Coordinates of all heavy atoms in Angstrom, one line a residue:
C213 N -9.6 -62.5 10.0 CA -9.3 -63.3 8.8 C -10.6 -63.7 8.1 O -10.8 -63.6 6.9 CB -8.5 -64.5 9.1 SG -8.0 -65.5 7.7
I214 N -11.6 -64.2 8.9 CA -12.9 -64.6 8.4 C -13.6 -63.4 7.8 O -14.2 -63.5 6.7 CB -13.7 -65.3 9.5 CG1 -13.1 -66.6 9.9 CG2 -15.1 -65.5 8.9 CD1 -13.8 -67.3 11.1
L215 N -13.5 -62.3 8.4 CA -14.2 -61.1 7.9 C -13.6 -60.7 6.6 O -14.3 -60.4 5.6 CB -14.0 -59.9 8.9 CG -14.6 -58.6 8.5 CD1 -16.1 -58.7 8.3 CD2 -14.3 -57.5 9.5
L216 N -12.2 -60.7 6.4 CA -11.6 -60.3 5.2 C -11.9 -61.3 4.1 O -12.2 -60.9 3.0 CB -10.1 -60.2 5.4 CG -9.6 -59.1 6.2 CD1 -8.1 -59.2 6.4 CD2 -9.9 -57.7 5.6
A217 N -11.9 -62.6 4.4 CA -12.2 -63.6 3.4 C -13.7 -63.5 2.9 O -14.0 -63.6 1.7 CB -12.0 -65.0 4.0
G218 N -14.6 -63.2 3.8 CA -16.0 -63.0 3.5 C -16.2 -61.8 2.6 O -17.0 -61.9 1.6
C219 N -15.5 -60.7 2.8 CA -15.6 -59.5 2.0 C -15.1 -59.7 0.6 O -15.6 -59.3 -0.4 CB -15.0 -58.3 2.7 SG -15.8 -57.8 4.2
G220 N -14.0 -60.4 0.5 CA -13.3 -60.6 -0.7 C -14.0 -61.7 -1.6 O -13.7 -61.8 -2.8
A221 N -14.9 -62.5 -1.0 CA -15.5 -63.6 -1.8 C -16.7 -63.1 -2.7 O -17.1 -63.8 -3.6 CB -16.0 -64.6 -0.8
V222 N -17.2 -61.9 -2.4 CA -18.3 -61.4 -3.2 C -17.8 -60.6 -4.4 O -17.2 -59.6 -4.2 CB -19.3 -60.6 -2.3 CG1 -20.4 -60.0 -3.1 CG2 -19.7 -61.4 -1.1
P223 N -18.1 -61.1 -5.6 CA -17.7 -60.3 -6.8 C -18.5 -58.9 -6.8 O -19.6 -58.9 -6.5 CB -18.1 -61.1 -8.0 CG -18.3 -62.5 -7.5 CD -18.7 -62.3 -6.0
R224 N -17.7 -57.9 -7.1 CA -18.4 -56.6 -7.2 C -17.7 -55.6 -8.1 O -16.6 -55.9 -8.6 CB -18.4 -55.9 -5.8 CG -17.1 -55.7 -5.1 CD -17.2 -55.3 -3.7 NE -15.9 -55.0 -3.1 CZ -15.1 -55.9 -2.6 NH1 -15.3 -57.2 -2.6 NH2 -13.9 -55.5 -2.0
S225 N -18.4 -54.5 -8.5 CA -17.8 -53.6 -9.4 C -18.2 -52.2 -9.0 O -19.1 -52.0 -8.2 CB -18.2 -53.9 -10.8 OG -19.1 -53.0 -11.3
T226 N -17.5 -51.2 -9.5 CA -17.8 -49.8 -9.3 C -19.0 -49.4 -10.1 O -19.6 -48.3 -9.8 CB -16.6 -48.9 -9.7 OG1 -16.3 -49.1 -11.1 CG2 -15.4 -49.1 -8.9
G227 N -19.3 -50.1 -11.1 CA -20.3 -49.7 -12.1 C -19.5 -48.8 -13.1 O -18.4 -48.4 -12.9
V228 N -20.2 -48.5 -14.2 CA -19.6 -47.7 -15.2 C -19.6 -46.2 -14.8 O -20.6 -45.7 -14.4 CB -20.3 -47.9 -16.6 CG1 -19.7 -46.9 -17.6 CG2 -20.2 -49.3 -17.0
M229 N -18.4 -45.6 -14.9 CA -18.3 -44.2 -14.5 C -17.8 -43.4 -15.8 O -16.9 -43.9 -16.5 CB -17.2 -44.0 -13.4 CG -17.5 -44.7 -12.2 SD -16.2 -44.6 -10.9 CE -14.9 -45.6 -11.7
Q230 N -18.4 -42.3 -16.1 CA -18.0 -41.5 -17.2 C -16.8 -40.6 -16.8 O -16.8 -40.0 -15.8 CB -19.1 -40.6 -17.7 CG -18.8 -39.8 -19.0 CD -20.0 -39.3 -19.7 OE1 -21.1 -39.3 -19.2 NE2 -19.7 -38.7 -20.9
V231 N -15.8 -40.7 -17.6 CA -14.5 -39.9 -17.3 C -14.2 -38.9 -18.4 O -13.2 -38.2 -18.3 CB -13.3 -40.8 -17.1 CG1 -13.5 -41.7 -15.9 CG2 -13.0 -41.7 -18.3
G232 N -15.1 -38.8 -19.4 CA -14.9 -37.8 -20.5 C -15.9 -38.0 -21.6 O -16.8 -38.9 -21.5
P233 N -15.9 -37.2 -22.6 CA -16.9 -37.4 -23.7 C -16.7 -38.8 -24.3 O -15.7 -39.2 -24.8 CB -16.5 -36.3 -24.7 CG -15.7 -35.4 -24.0 CD -15.0 -36.1 -22.9
D234 N -17.8 -39.6 -24.3 CA -17.8 -41.0 -24.8 C -16.8 -41.9 -24.2 O -16.5 -43.0 -24.7 CB -17.6 -41.0 -26.4 CG -18.6 -40.2 -27.1 OD1 -19.8 -40.3 -26.7 OD2 -18.2 -39.5 -28.1
T235 N -16.2 -41.5 -23.1 CA -15.1 -42.3 -22.4 C -15.6 -42.7 -21.0 O -16.1 -41.8 -20.3 CB -13.8 -41.5 -22.4 OG1 -13.5 -41.0 -23.7 CG2 -12.7 -42.3 -21.8
F236 N -15.3 -43.9 -20.7 CA -15.9 -44.5 -19.4 C -14.8 -45.4 -18.8 O -13.8 -45.8 -19.4 CB -17.1 -45.3 -19.7 CG -18.2 -44.6 -20.4 CD1 -18.2 -44.5 -21.8 CD2 -19.1 -43.9 -19.7 CE1 -19.2 -43.8 -22.5 CE2 -20.1 -43.2 -20.4 CZ -20.1 -43.1 -21.8
R237 N -15.0 -45.7 -17.5 CA -14.1 -46.6 -16.8 C -15.0 -47.5 -15.9 O -16.0 -47.0 -15.3 CB -13.1 -45.8 -15.9 CG -12.2 -46.8 -15.1 CD -11.1 -46.0 -14.4 NE -10.2 -45.5 -15.4 CZ -9.6 -44.3 -15.2 NH1 -9.8 -43.6 -14.2 NH2 -8.8 -43.8 -16.2
V238 N -14.6 -48.7 -15.8 CA -15.2 -49.6 -14.8 C -14.1 -50.4 -14.1 O -13.1 -50.8 -14.7 CB -16.3 -50.6 -15.5 CG1 -15.6 -51.5 -16.5 CG2 -17.1 -51.4 -14.5
S239 N -14.3 -50.6 -12.8 CA -13.4 -51.4 -12.1 C -14.1 -52.5 -11.4 O -15.2 -52.3 -10.8 CB -12.7 -50.5 -11.0 OG -11.8 -51.2 -10.2
A240 N -13.6 -53.8 -11.5 CA -14.3 -54.9 -11.0 C -13.3 -55.8 -10.2 O -12.2 -55.9 -10.5 CB -14.9 -55.7 -12.1
R241 N -13.9 -56.4 -9.1 CA -13.1 -57.3 -8.3 C -13.9 -58.6 -8.1 O -15.0 -58.6 -7.6 CB -12.8 -56.7 -6.9 CG -11.9 -57.6 -6.0 CD -11.9 -57.1 -4.6 NE -11.2 -55.8 -4.5 CZ -9.9 -55.7 -4.1 NH1 -9.2 -56.7 -3.7 NH2 -9.4 -54.5 -4.1
G242 N -13.2 -59.7 -8.5 CA -13.9 -61.0 -8.4 C -13.5 -61.6 -7.0 O -13.1 -60.9 -6.1
S243 N -13.6 -62.9 -6.9 CA -13.3 -63.5 -5.7 C -11.8 -63.3 -5.4 O -11.0 -63.1 -6.3 CB -13.6 -65.0 -5.8 OG -14.9 -65.3 -6.1
V244 N -11.4 -63.4 -4.2 CA -10.0 -63.2 -3.8 C -9.1 -64.1 -4.6 O -9.3 -65.3 -4.7 CB -9.8 -63.5 -2.3 CG1 -8.3 -63.4 -1.9 CG2 -10.6 -62.5 -1.4
G245 N -8.1 -63.5 -5.3 CA -7.1 -64.2 -6.0 C -7.6 -64.6 -7.4 O -6.9 -65.3 -8.2
N246 N -8.8 -64.3 -7.8 CA -9.4 -64.7 -9.1 C -9.4 -63.5 -10.1 O -10.4 -62.9 -10.3 CB -10.8 -65.3 -8.9 CG -11.3 -66.0 -10.2 OD1 -10.8 -65.8 -11.3 ND2 -12.3 -66.8 -10.0
V247 N -8.2 -63.3 -10.7 CA -8.1 -62.2 -11.6 C -9.0 -62.3 -12.9 O -9.5 -61.4 -13.4 CB -6.6 -62.0 -12.1 CG1 -6.4 -60.9 -13.1 CG2 -5.7 -61.7 -10.8
M248 N -9.1 -63.6 -13.4 CA -9.9 -63.8 -14.6 C -11.3 -63.4 -14.3 O -12.0 -62.9 -15.2 CB -9.8 -65.3 -15.0 CG -8.4 -65.6 -15.5 SD -7.8 -64.6 -16.9 CE -8.9 -65.2 -18.2
E249 N -11.9 -63.7 -13.1 CA -13.2 -63.3 -12.8 C -13.4 -61.8 -12.8 O -14.4 -61.2 -13.4 CB -13.6 -63.9 -11.5 CG -15.1 -63.6 -11.1 CD -15.4 -64.2 -9.7 OE1 -14.5 -64.3 -8.9 OE2 -16.6 -64.6 -9.6
S250 N -12.4 -61.1 -12.3 CA -12.4 -59.6 -12.3 C -12.3 -59.1 -13.8 O -13.1 -58.2 -14.1 CB -11.2 -59.1 -11.6 OG -11.2 -59.5 -10.2
Q251 N -11.5 -59.6 -14.6 CA -11.4 -59.2 -16.0 C -12.7 -59.4 -16.7 O -13.2 -58.6 -17.4 CB -10.3 -60.0 -16.7 CG -8.9 -59.6 -16.3 CD -7.9 -60.5 -17.0 OE1 -8.2 -61.6 -17.5 NE2 -6.6 -60.0 -17.0
K252 N -13.3 -60.6 -16.6 CA -14.5 -61.0 -17.2 C -15.6 -60.0 -16.8 O -16.4 -59.5 -17.7 CB -14.9 -62.4 -16.9 CG -16.1 -62.9 -17.7 CD -16.4 -64.3 -17.4 CE -17.7 -64.8 -18.1 NZ -18.0 -66.2 -17.8
M253 N -15.7 -59.7 -15.6 CA -16.8 -58.8 -15.1 C -16.6 -57.4 -15.6 O -17.6 -56.8 -16.1 CB -16.8 -58.8 -13.5 CG -17.9 -57.9 -12.9 SD -17.8 -57.7 -11.1 CE -17.9 -59.4 -10.6
A254 N -15.4 -56.9 -15.7 CA -15.1 -55.5 -16.2 C -15.4 -55.4 -17.6 O -16.0 -54.5 -18.1 CB -13.7 -55.1 -15.9
F255 N -14.9 -56.4 -18.4 CA -15.2 -56.4 -19.9 C -16.7 -56.6 -20.2 O -17.2 -55.9 -21.1 CB -14.4 -57.4 -20.6 CG -13.0 -57.0 -20.9 CD1 -11.9 -57.5 -20.2 CD2 -12.7 -56.0 -21.8 CE1 -10.6 -57.1 -20.4 CE2 -11.4 -55.6 -22.1 CZ -10.3 -56.1 -21.4
S256 N -17.3 -57.4 -19.4 CA -18.8 -57.6 -19.7 C -19.6 -56.3 -19.4 O -20.4 -55.9 -20.2 CB -19.3 -58.7 -18.7 OG -20.6 -58.9 -18.9
E257 N -19.2 -55.6 -18.3 CA -20.0 -54.4 -18.0 C -19.7 -53.3 -19.0 O -20.6 -52.6 -19.4 CB -19.6 -53.9 -16.6 CG -20.2 -54.7 -15.5 CD -20.2 -54.1 -14.1 OE1 -20.2 -52.8 -14.1 OE2 -20.0 -54.8 -13.1
S258 N -18.4 -53.2 -19.5 CA -18.1 -52.2 -20.5 C -18.8 -52.5 -21.8 O -19.4 -51.6 -22.4 CB -16.6 -52.1 -20.7 OG -16.1 -53.3 -21.1
S259 N -18.9 -53.7 -22.2 CA -19.6 -54.1 -23.4 C -21.1 -53.9 -23.3 O -21.7 -53.3 -24.3 CB -19.3 -55.6 -23.7 OG -20.0 -56.0 -24.9
N260 N -21.6 -54.3 -22.2 CA -23.1 -54.1 -22.0 C -23.4 -52.6 -22.0 O -24.5 -52.2 -22.5 CB -23.5 -54.8 -20.7 CG -23.5 -56.3 -20.9 OD1 -23.6 -56.8 -21.9 ND2 -23.5 -56.9 -19.7
H261 N -22.6 -51.8 -21.4 CA -22.8 -50.3 -21.4 C -22.9 -49.8 -22.8 O -23.8 -49.0 -23.1 CB -21.8 -49.6 -20.6 CG -22.1 -48.2 -20.4 ND1 -23.1 -47.7 -19.6 CD2 -21.5 -47.1 -21.0 CE1 -23.1 -46.3 -19.7 NE2 -22.1 -46.0 -20.5
C262 N -21.9 -50.1 -23.6 CA -21.9 -49.6 -25.0 C -23.1 -50.1 -25.8 O -23.8 -49.3 -26.5 CB -20.6 -49.9 -25.7 SG -19.2 -49.0 -25.1
K263 N -23.5 -51.4 -25.6 CA -24.6 -51.9 -26.3 C -25.9 -51.2 -25.9 O -26.8 -50.9 -26.7 CB -24.8 -53.4 -26.0 CG -23.8 -54.3 -26.7 CD -23.9 -55.7 -26.4 CE -22.9 -56.6 -27.0 NZ -22.9 -58.0 -26.6
S264 N -26.0 -50.8 -24.6 CA -27.2 -50.1 -24.1 C -27.3 -48.7 -24.8 O -28.4 -48.2 -24.9 CB -27.2 -50.0 -22.6 OG -26.3 -49.0 -22.2
L265 N -26.2 -48.2 -25.2 CA -26.2 -46.9 -25.9 C -26.3 -47.0 -27.4 O -26.4 -46.0 -28.1 CB -24.9 -46.1 -25.6 CG -24.7 -45.8 -24.1 CD1 -23.3 -45.2 -23.9 CD2 -25.7 -44.8 -23.6
G266 N -26.3 -48.3 -27.9 CA -26.4 -48.5 -29.3 C -25.1 -48.2 -30.0 O -25.1 -47.8 -31.2
R267 N -24.0 -48.3 -29.3 CA -22.7 -48.0 -29.8 C -21.7 -49.2 -29.7 O -22.0 -50.2 -29.1 CB -22.1 -46.8 -29.1 CG -22.9 -45.5 -29.3 CD -22.3 -44.4 -28.6 NE -23.1 -43.2 -28.8 CZ -22.8 -42.0 -28.4 NH1 -21.6 -41.8 -27.8 NH2 -23.6 -40.9 -28.6
E268 N -20.5 -49.0 -30.3 CA -19.5 -50.0 -30.3 C -18.5 -49.8 -29.3 O -18.1 -48.6 -29.0 CB -18.8 -50.1 -31.7 CG -19.8 -50.4 -32.8 CD -20.3 -51.8 -32.8 OE1 -19.5 -52.7 -32.5 OE2 -21.5 -52.0 -33.1
L269 N -17.9 -50.8 -28.7 CA -16.9 -50.7 -27.6 C -15.5 -50.7 -28.2 O -15.2 -51.4 -29.1 CB -17.0 -52.0 -26.7 CG -15.9 -52.2 -25.7 CD1 -15.9 -51.2 -24.6 CD2 -15.9 -53.6 -25.2
I270 N -14.7 -49.7 -27.7 CA -13.3 -49.7 -28.1 C -12.5 -49.5 -26.7 O -12.8 -48.6 -26.0 CB -12.9 -48.6 -29.1 CG1 -11.5 -48.7 -29.5 CG2 -13.2 -47.2 -28.6 CD1 -11.3 -49.6 -30.7
V271 N -11.7 -50.5 -26.4 CA -11.0 -50.5 -25.2 C -9.7 -49.6 -25.4 O -9.0 -49.7 -26.3 CB -10.5 -51.9 -24.7 CG1 -9.6 -51.8 -23.5 CG2 -11.8 -52.7 -24.5
I272 N -9.5 -48.6 -24.4 CA -8.4 -47.7 -24.5 C -7.3 -48.3 -23.6 O -6.1 -48.2 -24.0 CB -8.8 -46.3 -24.0 CG1 -9.9 -45.7 -24.8 CG2 -7.6 -45.4 -23.9 CD1 -10.5 -44.5 -24.3
A273 N -7.6 -48.7 -22.4 CA -6.6 -49.2 -21.5 C -7.1 -50.2 -20.5 O -8.3 -50.2 -20.2 CB -5.9 -48.1 -20.8
T274 N -6.3 -51.1 -20.0 CA -6.6 -52.0 -18.9 C -5.6 -51.9 -17.9 O -4.4 -51.5 -18.2 CB -6.7 -53.5 -19.4 OG1 -5.5 -53.9 -19.9 CG2 -7.8 -53.6 -20.5
N275 N -6.0 -52.2 -16.7 CA -5.0 -52.1 -15.6 C -5.4 -53.1 -14.5 O -6.6 -53.1 -14.0 CB -5.0 -50.7 -15.0 CG -3.9 -50.5 -14.0 OD1 -2.9 -51.2 -14.0 ND2 -4.1 -49.6 -13.1
Q276 N -4.5 -53.9 -14.0 CA -4.7 -54.8 -12.9 C -4.0 -54.1 -11.7 O -2.8 -53.9 -11.7 CB -4.0 -56.2 -13.1 CG -4.0 -57.1 -11.9 CD -5.4 -57.5 -11.4 OE1 -6.2 -57.9 -12.2 NE2 -5.7 -57.4 -10.1
I277 N -4.8 -53.7 -10.7 CA -4.3 -53.0 -9.5 C -3.7 -54.0 -8.6 O -4.4 -54.9 -8.2 CB -5.4 -52.1 -8.9 CG1 -5.8 -51.1 -9.9 CG2 -4.9 -51.4 -7.6 CD1 -7.1 -50.3 -9.5
E278 N -2.5 -53.9 -8.2 CA -1.8 -54.8 -7.3 C -2.3 -54.6 -5.9 O -2.4 -53.5 -5.4 CB -0.3 -54.6 -7.4 CG 0.3 -54.9 -8.7 CD 0.1 -56.3 -9.2 OE1 0.2 -57.2 -8.4 OE2 0.0 -56.5 -10.4
A279 N -2.7 -55.7 -5.2 CA -3.1 -55.7 -3.8 C -3.0 -57.1 -3.3 O -2.9 -58.1 -4.1 CB -4.5 -55.2 -3.7
I280 N -3.0 -57.2 -2.0 CA -2.9 -58.6 -1.4 C -4.2 -59.3 -1.7 O -5.3 -58.8 -1.6 CB -2.8 -58.4 0.2 CG1 -1.4 -57.8 0.5 CG2 -2.9 -59.8 0.8 CD1 -1.3 -57.4 1.9
G281 N -4.0 -60.5 -2.3 CA -5.2 -61.3 -2.6 C -5.7 -61.0 -4.0 O -6.7 -61.5 -4.5
G282 N -5.1 -60.0 -4.7 CA -5.5 -59.7 -6.1 C -6.4 -58.4 -6.0 O -7.5 -58.4 -5.4
G283 N -6.0 -57.4 -6.7 CA -6.8 -56.1 -6.7 C -7.7 -56.1 -7.8 O -7.8 -57.0 -8.6
P284 N -8.5 -55.0 -7.9 CA -9.5 -54.9 -9.0 C -8.8 -54.8 -10.4 O -7.7 -54.4 -10.5 CB -10.2 -53.6 -8.6 CG -9.4 -52.9 -7.6 CD -8.5 -53.9 -7.0
Y285 N -9.6 -55.0 -11.4 CA -9.2 -54.9 -12.7 C -10.0 -53.8 -13.4 O -11.2 -53.8 -13.3 CB -9.5 -56.2 -13.5 CG -8.9 -56.3 -14.9 CD1 -7.6 -56.7 -15.0 CD2 -9.6 -56.0 -16.0 CE1 -7.0 -56.8 -16.3 CE2 -9.1 -56.1 -17.2 CZ -7.7 -56.5 -17.4 OH -7.2 -56.6 -18.6
E286 N -9.3 -52.8 -13.9 CA -9.9 -51.6 -14.5 C -9.9 -51.7 -16.1 O -8.9 -52.1 -16.6 CB -9.2 -50.4 -14.2 CG -9.3 -49.9 -12.8 CD -8.6 -48.6 -12.5 OE1 -7.7 -48.2 -13.3 OE2 -8.9 -48.0 -11.5
V287 N -11.0 -51.3 -16.6 CA -11.1 -51.1 -18.1 C -11.5 -49.7 -18.4 O -12.5 -49.2 -17.9 CB -12.1 -52.1 -18.7 CG1 -12.2 -51.9 -20.2 CG2 -11.6 -53.6 -18.5
T288 N -10.7 -49.0 -19.2 CA -11.1 -47.7 -19.6 C -11.5 -47.8 -21.1 O -10.7 -48.5 -21.9 CB -9.9 -46.7 -19.5 OG1 -9.5 -46.6 -18.1 CG2 -10.3 -45.2 -19.9
F289 N -12.6 -47.3 -21.5 CA -13.1 -47.6 -22.8 C -13.9 -46.4 -23.4 O -14.3 -45.5 -22.7 CB -14.0 -48.8 -22.8 CG -15.2 -48.8 -21.9 CD1 -16.4 -48.5 -22.5 CD2 -15.1 -49.0 -20.6 CE1 -17.6 -48.4 -21.7 CE2 -16.2 -48.9 -19.7 CZ -17.5 -48.6 -20.3
R290 N -14.2 -46.5 -24.7 CA -15.1 -45.5 -25.3 C -16.2 -46.3 -26.0 O -16.1 -47.4 -26.4 CB -14.3 -44.7 -26.4 CG -13.4 -43.8 -25.8 CD -12.8 -42.8 -26.8 NE -12.0 -41.8 -26.2 CZ -10.7 -41.6 -26.5 NH1 -10.2 -42.3 -27.5 NH2 -10.0 -40.8 -25.8
C291 N -17.4 -45.6 -26.1 CA -18.5 -46.1 -26.8 C -18.7 -45.2 -28.0 O -19.1 -44.0 -27.8 CB -19.8 -46.1 -25.9 SG -19.7 -47.2 -24.4
L292 N -18.5 -45.8 -29.2 CA -18.4 -45.0 -30.4 C -19.5 -45.4 -31.4 O -19.8 -46.6 -31.4 CB -17.1 -45.0 -31.1 CG -15.9 -44.6 -30.2 CD1 -14.6 -44.8 -30.9 CD2 -16.0 -43.1 -29.8
N293 N -20.0 -44.5 -32.2 CA -20.9 -44.8 -33.3 C -20.1 -45.6 -34.3 O -18.9 -45.5 -34.5 CB -21.4 -43.5 -33.9 CG -22.4 -42.8 -33.0 OD1 -23.3 -43.4 -32.4 ND2 -22.2 -41.5 -33.0
K294 N -20.9 -46.5 -35.0 CA -20.2 -47.3 -36.0 C -19.5 -46.5 -37.1 O -18.5 -47.0 -37.7 CB -21.3 -48.2 -36.7 CG -21.7 -49.3 -35.7 CD -22.7 -50.2 -36.4 CE -23.2 -51.3 -35.4 NZ -24.0 -52.3 -36.0
S295 N -19.9 -45.3 -37.3 CA -19.3 -44.5 -38.4 C -18.2 -43.6 -37.9 O -17.6 -42.9 -38.6 CB -20.4 -43.5 -39.0 OG -20.9 -42.7 -38.0
D296 N -17.9 -43.7 -36.6 CA -16.8 -42.8 -36.0 C -15.5 -43.3 -36.5 O -15.1 -44.5 -36.5 CB -16.8 -43.0 -34.5 CG -16.0 -41.9 -33.8 OD1 -14.8 -41.8 -34.1 OD2 -16.5 -41.3 -32.8
P297 N -14.6 -42.3 -37.0 CA -13.3 -42.7 -37.6 C -12.4 -43.3 -36.5 O -11.4 -43.9 -36.9 CB -12.8 -41.4 -38.2 CG -13.6 -40.3 -37.6 CD -14.9 -40.9 -37.2
E298 N -12.6 -43.0 -35.3 CA -11.8 -43.6 -34.2 C -12.1 -45.0 -33.9 O -11.3 -45.7 -33.1 CB -11.9 -42.8 -32.9 CG -11.3 -41.4 -33.0 CD -11.3 -40.7 -31.7 OE1 -11.0 -41.3 -30.6 OE2 -11.6 -39.5 -31.6
L299 N -13.1 -45.6 -34.5 CA -13.5 -47.0 -34.3 C -12.6 -47.9 -35.2 O -12.9 -48.2 -36.3 CB -14.9 -47.2 -34.6 CG -15.5 -48.6 -34.2 CD1 -15.4 -48.8 -32.7 CD2 -16.9 -48.7 -34.6
V300 N -11.4 -48.2 -34.7 CA -10.4 -49.0 -35.4 C -10.0 -50.1 -34.4 O -10.2 -50.0 -33.2 CB -9.2 -48.2 -35.8 CG1 -9.6 -47.2 -36.9 CG2 -8.5 -47.5 -34.7
R301 N -9.3 -51.1 -35.0 CA -8.8 -52.3 -34.2 C -7.8 -51.7 -33.1 O -6.9 -51.1 -33.5 CB -8.2 -53.3 -35.1 CG -7.6 -54.5 -34.3 CD -7.0 -55.5 -35.2 NE -8.0 -56.0 -36.1 CZ -7.9 -56.1 -37.4 NH1 -6.8 -55.7 -38.0 NH2 -8.9 -56.7 -38.1
P302 N -8.1 -52.0 -31.8 CA -7.2 -51.5 -30.8 C -5.9 -52.3 -30.7 O -5.8 -53.5 -31.0 CB -8.0 -51.7 -29.5 CG -8.8 -52.8 -29.8 CD -9.2 -52.7 -31.3
T303 N -4.8 -51.6 -30.4 CA -3.5 -52.3 -30.1 C -3.3 -52.0 -28.6 O -2.9 -51.0 -28.2 CB -2.4 -51.7 -30.9 OG1 -2.7 -51.9 -32.3 CG2 -1.1 -52.5 -30.6
L304 N -3.6 -53.0 -27.8 CA -3.4 -52.9 -26.3 C -2.0 -53.1 -25.9 O -1.4 -54.1 -26.3 CB -4.4 -53.8 -25.6 CG -5.9 -53.6 -25.9 CD1 -6.7 -54.7 -25.1 CD2 -6.3 -52.3 -25.5
E305 N -1.5 -52.3 -25.0 CA -0.2 -52.4 -24.5 C -0.3 -52.3 -23.0 O -1.1 -51.6 -22.4 CB 0.7 -51.3 -25.0 CG 0.9 -51.3 -26.5 CD 1.9 -50.2 -26.9 OE1 2.5 -49.5 -26.1 OE2 1.9 -49.9 -28.1
R306 N 0.5 -53.1 -22.3 CA 0.5 -53.2 -20.9 C 1.2 -51.9 -20.4 O 2.3 -51.5 -20.9 CB 1.3 -54.4 -20.4 CG 1.3 -54.5 -18.9 CD 1.7 -55.8 -18.4 NE 1.5 -55.9 -17.0 CZ 2.3 -56.3 -16.1 NH1 3.5 -56.8 -16.5 NH2 2.0 -56.4 -14.8
A307 N 0.7 -51.3 -19.4 CA 1.3 -50.1 -18.8 C 2.6 -50.5 -18.1 O 2.7 -51.5 -17.5 CB 0.3 -49.5 -17.7
P308 N 3.6 -49.7 -18.2 CA 4.9 -50.0 -17.6 C 4.8 -50.0 -16.1 O 4.1 -49.3 -15.5 CB 5.8 -48.9 -18.1 CG 4.9 -47.8 -18.5 CD 3.6 -48.4 -18.9
D309 N 5.6 -50.9 -15.5 CA 5.7 -51.0 -14.1 C 6.5 -49.8 -13.5 O 6.3 -49.4 -12.4 CB 6.3 -52.3 -13.6 CG 5.5 -53.5 -14.0 OD1 4.3 -53.4 -14.1 OD2 6.1 -54.6 -14.3
T310 N 7.5 -49.3 -14.3 CA 8.3 -48.2 -13.8 C 8.4 -47.2 -14.9 O 8.5 -47.5 -16.1 CB 9.7 -48.7 -13.6 OG1 9.7 -49.8 -12.6 CG2 10.6 -47.6 -13.0
V311 N 8.2 -45.9 -14.5 CA 8.4 -44.8 -15.4 C 9.5 -43.9 -15.0 O 9.5 -43.5 -13.8 CB 7.0 -44.0 -15.5 CG1 7.2 -42.8 -16.4 CG2 5.9 -44.9 -16.0
I312 N 10.4 -43.6 -15.9 CA 11.5 -42.7 -15.5 C 11.3 -41.4 -16.3 O 11.2 -41.4 -17.5 CB 12.9 -43.4 -16.0 CG1 13.1 -44.7 -15.3 CG2 14.0 -42.4 -15.7 CD1 14.2 -45.5 -15.8
K313 N 11.3 -40.3 -15.5 CA 11.1 -39.0 -16.1 C 12.4 -38.2 -15.9 O 13.0 -38.2 -14.9 CB 10.0 -38.2 -15.3 CG 8.6 -38.8 -15.6 CD 7.6 -38.0 -14.9 CE 6.2 -38.5 -15.1 NZ 5.1 -37.7 -14.5
I314 N 12.8 -37.7 -17.0 CA 14.0 -36.8 -17.0 C 13.6 -35.4 -17.2 O 12.9 -35.0 -18.1 CB 15.0 -37.2 -18.2 CG1 15.4 -38.7 -18.0 CG2 16.2 -36.3 -18.2 CD1 16.2 -39.3 -19.2
K315 N 14.0 -34.6 -16.2 CA 13.6 -33.2 -16.2 C 14.8 -32.3 -16.5 O 15.9 -32.6 -16.2 CB 13.0 -32.8 -14.9 CG 11.7 -33.5 -14.7 CD 11.1 -32.9 -13.4 CE 9.7 -33.6 -13.2 NZ 9.0 -33.1 -12.1

């Protein structure tokens, strides 16, 4: 129990990973049970990454991974030039908990 609590107490992230052209993902985990800390860390890293490239952040998707004690928070985003036509106000939607596929 002490070992698990000690590991979960240290905020950490995967760092920014490129998943496509101009598209990136970062996953962060704050203190155990502190989702807001995870969100803040993930959004901060994504924003800082785009700023370091001299580009603007556009969030594509967010995801809170369910786990005991609170899982990591993922942000998938793009870093776009100010003149890019895809740089528009985002409309974020929560991913569905259940998906039904009809074949």
